[in-house]
Amino acid sequence: MGITREEVLHVAQLARLQLQDHEIDAYQLELNELLGHFEDLSAVDVTGLEPKPHAVSLTNAWDEDVVRAGLTRDQALSNAPAQKAGLFIVPTILED
Amino acid sequence: MLRDRKVSAREVATAFLDRAESTRELYGAYLHIDREWTLSQADAAQAKLDNGTAGPLTGVPVAIKDNISTAGQPTTCASKILDGYIPPYDATSMAKLKEAGLVAVGKTNLDEFAMGASNENSSAFPAKNPWDISRVPGGSSGGSAAAVAGRTAPVSLGSDTGGSIRQPAALCGIVGFKPTYGRVSRYGLVAFGSSLDQIGPMAHTVSDAALLAQAISGYDDRDATSLQMPSIDASRVQEGSIKGKRIAVPKELFAQGAEPGVLEAVHRAMDQLRAAGVEFVEVSVPEIELGVTTYYIIAPAEASSNLARFDGIRYGPRMEATGHVGTVAATRGQLFGHEVKARIMIGTYVLSAGYYDAFYLRAQQLRGKMAAHLDEVLQGCDAIIGPTSPVVAFPLGGLSQDPMAMKLVDYCTIPANMGGFPAISMPCGLSEGLPVGLQLMGRVTEDEALLQLAWQVEQALGPQAQPNLGLTQ
């Protein structure tokens, strides 16, 4: 099993990463090496094993239903690269 | 000295600031220093010392890893994608430090987004090892380790996802402690692998590390994974004797390409402990051998999700391109570094349709098996022992062309993160003139017992070698 150049590009597209040509080649090599190691895991019998999604299991961490001050609008916008009238400005999403 | 008011908090802060600034190029430990910020905290500490509300660490300088949010001060994660970002709030751990009267000296260097084991993945510059500046300090908390080893701050905060506190502590000859997952709030820590990340102290001694752990720990309702437990209690760390303690020795921690000099140093330390009355129990935990592979599925999977928030819309610079998706992809493609992009792609791949069961689900099953086995071993023993890092500090550039070798550096530290176990690294002698770290792993939530055992081990091993920093006492 190996990951192709097209698959690298597809994954990069899914992850919203624009890559340069030389990066695509480097990542193809690197991902293939790592995937080779992942194959080690497929040899292990995992029948009946419970998946462990977290380090220390907790269930239902409830919060009190009380109003609490968050960031002000100015604070939330303070690091935005583009803003106007109290809003984040994003590039055009819908073309005409 | 501070409590007797023989020196003022401002004098102490100034002395450490001067040293941090004069060694800035030499060690590369700091990304950001703001004297005014530090001195205003020193004044606040002095007020506590003067009015009798001081705690054990009031007025003590501390270096902060630059992935921990500091209100009004840059927090960049050593990434270009957070260039210029100034958090409007403090991380809970930072707020607690201020409350306890500690004085932040500056923000320390790290591998970008805490991804790396050498601090060479910093987008700014690599940090260097004060024992030998041609070598790495380890990572990802390399700056926090170099800051303490280089005497620019007496203690520091790091974060540990797969060993990022303990491994640099080992390579720089200091103490590094990763508390039980959930004992220190992650609120305000820029997320990497949310089920693994934990903030913890780095210091010269176990007692100092315990005091800092006490200051930053405790339940926080702003972190849904925070444990409903009191702060870590440092008051009884310096008690008891090591005599009669049972410590498990998994043979798998002593294999997998460890340098002979590292193993010799650890075995010498174990001989000293045996002579002091420790009983070592040999065990086998085969799951440890799959730890690195399992980790490199789980951590990137979580990272690929966590790092989706960096899109050039709410913070950080934006690279203009055509359309929304084009702009986001250009921003991320140009501003994330090589290793970060690699891990985002690995994570995206293992979570994608058709591969989820084969990789991510299977990795979680193996994670559960490893954690259960380690837990079973710990039910019959006081701790698990082994080397912290299979290698001593390596030359800058020594492993950066070999991604797999770099990943194996975390071989001994990853198991603790998988099960949330508390773990500590402490110096245990030298190999080739460079420090070797000894790791102890304890039972989940029993951080106090582990710190006490570590203090006892520290006493039994005696004083450790120090780097030649060219300082006169």
Side-chain angles (χ1 to χ4, degrees), chain B residues 114-389:
Chain B
M115 297 178 186
S118 69
N119 212 124
E120 291 166 294
N121 294 336
S122 167
S123 75
F125 40 80
K128 298 176 186 151
N129 195 317
W131 286 76
D132 175 352
I133 56 164
S134 72
R135 291 174 185 270
V136 304
S140 66
S141 311
S144 286
V148 172
R151 304 268 171 189
T152 70
V155 292
S156 63
L157 285 190
S159 68
D160 192 315
T161 306
S164 281
I165 289 173
R166 293 160 285 153
Q167 185 262 7
L171 269 50
C172 288
I174 61 171
V175 173
F177 173 51
K178 183 199 84 70
T180 296
Y181 181 89
R183 290 212 70 173
V184 178
S185 169
R186 290 183 298 110
Y187 180 75
L189 170 70
V190 179
F192 162 15
S194 304
S195 79
L196 305 157
D197 297 341
Q198 189 63 189
I199 296 173
M202 305 173 86
H204 288 289
T205 66
V206 172
S207 305
D208 287 354
L211 284 172
L212 194 55
Q214 176 174 274
I216 59 174
S217 57
Y219 174 68
D220 179 15
D221 63 8
R222 285 177 299 187
D223 172 1
T225 59
S226 177
L227 294 175
Q228 301 244 15
M229 290 181 70
S231 299
I232 290 170
D233 179 5
S235 67
R236 296 188 55 202
V237 165
Q238 299 182 12
E239 285 182 15
S241 154
I242 194 130
K243 197 167 184 316
K245 292 283 160 62
R246 275 166 64 86
I247 300 182
V249 188
K251 68 178 166 88
E252 290 80 6
L253 283 181
F254 290 77
Q256 196 89 2
E259 289 174 358
V262 168
L263 295 180
E264 280 164 29
V266 172
H267 282 303
R268 269 199 307 275
M270 287 170 62
D271 288 341
Q272 277 179 277
L273 298 177
R274 196 176 284 112
V278 172
E279 180 196 349
F280 288 107
V281 186
E282 289 203 22
V283 296
S284 172
V285 184
E287 294 85 2
I288 288 173
E289 290 181 341
L290 292 172
V292 172
T293 313
T294 307
Y295 175 85
Y296 274 94
I297 292 172
I298 292 171
E302 295 184 9
S304 70
S305 166
N306 277 324
L307 270 60
R309 62 170 62 91
F310 300 103
D311 53 10
I313 290 172
R314 287 155 299 165
Y315 25 68
R318 178 187 294 177
M319 298 292 120
E320 297 299 340
T322 311
H324 180 74
V325 170
T327 300
V328 170
T331 299
R332 290 164 60 82
Q334 289 174 45
L335 299 179
F336 281 137
H338 179 88
E339 181 66 20
V340 173
K341 285 187 278 191
R343 297 208 198 181
I344 290 174
M345 287 201 289
I346 295 162
T348 305
Y349 183 78
V350 299
L351 291 176
S352 59
Y355 297 110
Y356 182 90
D357 284 4
F359 294 129
Y360 188 62
L361 184 67
R362 182 171 283 259
Q364 287 199 344
Q365 288 171 309
L366 292 170
R367 175 184 189 173
K369 191 173 182 216
M370 181 197 291
H373 199 166
L374 290 169
D375 192 53
E376 186 191 314
V377 168
L378 284 164
Q379 292 313 316
C381 287
D382 294 291
I384 290 172
I385 199 168
T388 306
S389 164

Side-chain angles (χ1 to χ4, degrees), chain A residues 17-87:
Chain A
L17 293 168
Q18 185 189 76
L19 300 180
Q20 308 294 316
D21 273 352
H22 69 272
E23 290 183 296
I24 301 168
D25 299 332
Y27 285 131
Q28 189 184 352
L29 275 173
E30 213 172 314
L31 291 182
N32 271 324
E33 189 187 359
L34 201 57
L35 287 172
H37 288 281
F38 290 175
E39 290 297 303
D40 298 348
L41 300 189
S42 55
V44 185
D45 182 12
V46 294
T47 316
L49 291 180
E50 279 295 310
K52 183 177 175 67
H54 235 277
V56 177
S57 295
L58 290 173
T59 43
N60 297 346
W62 300 109
D63 229 353
E64 291 300 316
D65 187 15
V66 289
V67 178
R68 187 157 64 175
L71 297 180
T72 63
R73 186 163 75 177
D74 285 347
Q75 284 176 326
L77 286 165
S78 62
N79 284 285
Q83 55 162 301
K84 197 173 179 181
L87 302 166

Side-chain angles (χ1 to χ4, degrees), chain B residues 23 26-27 31 40 91 106 117 137 152 185 208 221 247 303 387 397 419 441 448:
Chain B
T23 56
L26 187 67
Y27 300 145
L31 293 176
S40 71
T152 70
S185 169
D208 287 354
D221 63 8
I247 300 182
M441 210 186 303
E448 288 85 350

